[in-house]
Amino acid sequence: MASSETQQSANGTPYLLPATAAQGLANYPHARVVPGSPRVVYVSGTSSRRGDGTYAGCVTDPASGNHTLDVRAQTAAVLQNIGTIIRGATGGAVGLEAVVDATVFLTDIAGDYAGMNEEWNKVWPDKTAAPARTCVQVAALPSPKLNVEIKCMALWPQ
């Protein structure tokens, strides 16, 4: 669960990844755990950013500075990062299997929807066990090195 220094507030208990992991760019936790039965874990929008500031699925041409983005690699990294957050917030009790709802943000839905779905379907190959999902196109994400971000909600049975 969240570190012992973290206390529950009116909106639940925040969970923050260790300082070696990618940190939020503003003041928000990686997740917030709301008490109840079951507990609900709200995961903030998560990208493929790594703890060292680089992005999975992004290759930058040193000459031009242009970025080549791979939605499959980014989606796989996003889902892995979300799994890490959920396992951390729940003390390892649950992971991606506990996700009940997700919102996927893509910067190019026409070009990237199929590739994102390929990676999504590797995590949830059974439609009946997959979370509910909404996918939308956005004008931009917080970095031009990103083409996918996912936020979700998971249940933590007691």
Side-chain angles (χ1 to χ4, degrees), residues 16-23 30 51-52:
L16 302 166
L17 286 169
T20 56
Q23 298 300 305
H30 290 95
D52 65 2

Side-chain angles (χ1 to χ4, degrees), residues 32 37-43 79 82-83 86 90 94-104 120 123-124 126-134 150-157:
R32 184 159 293 284
S37 183
R39 294 178 193 152
V40 180
V41 181
Y42 293 91
V43 178
L79 292 170
I82 289 172
I86 293 171
T90 65
V94 294
L96 288 172
E97 76 284 352
V99 175
V100 295
D101 185 51
T103 304
V104 179
W120 177 277
V123 173
W124 291 287
D126 179 0
K127 189 181 287 192
T128 64
R133 186 185 89 183
T134 301
I150 300 173
K151 68 173 285 172
C152 64
M153 183 176 84
L155 296 181
W156 177 12

Side-chain angles (χ1 to χ4, degrees), residues 117-141:
N117 271 333
E118 286 177 24
E119 294 303 318
W120 177 277
N121 291 339
K122 288 178 185 177
V123 173
W124 291 287
D126 179 0
K127 189 181 287 192
T128 64
R133 186 185 89 183
T134 301
C135 185
V136 297
Q137 179 169 311
V138 294
L141 290 169

Side-chain angles (χ1 to χ4, degrees), residues 58-68:
C58 176
V59 176
T60 303
D61 180 331
S64 68
N66 292 332
H67 311 296
T68 302

Side-chain angles (χ1 to χ4, degrees), residues 1-3 5-9 11-16 28-34 89:
M1 185 128 142
S3 78
E5 299 172 25
T6 317
Q7 295 185 359
Q8 183 171 328
S9 64
N11 61 354
T13 304
Y15 172 74
L16 302 166
Y28 59 86
H30 290 95
R32 184 159 293 284
V33 180
V34 178

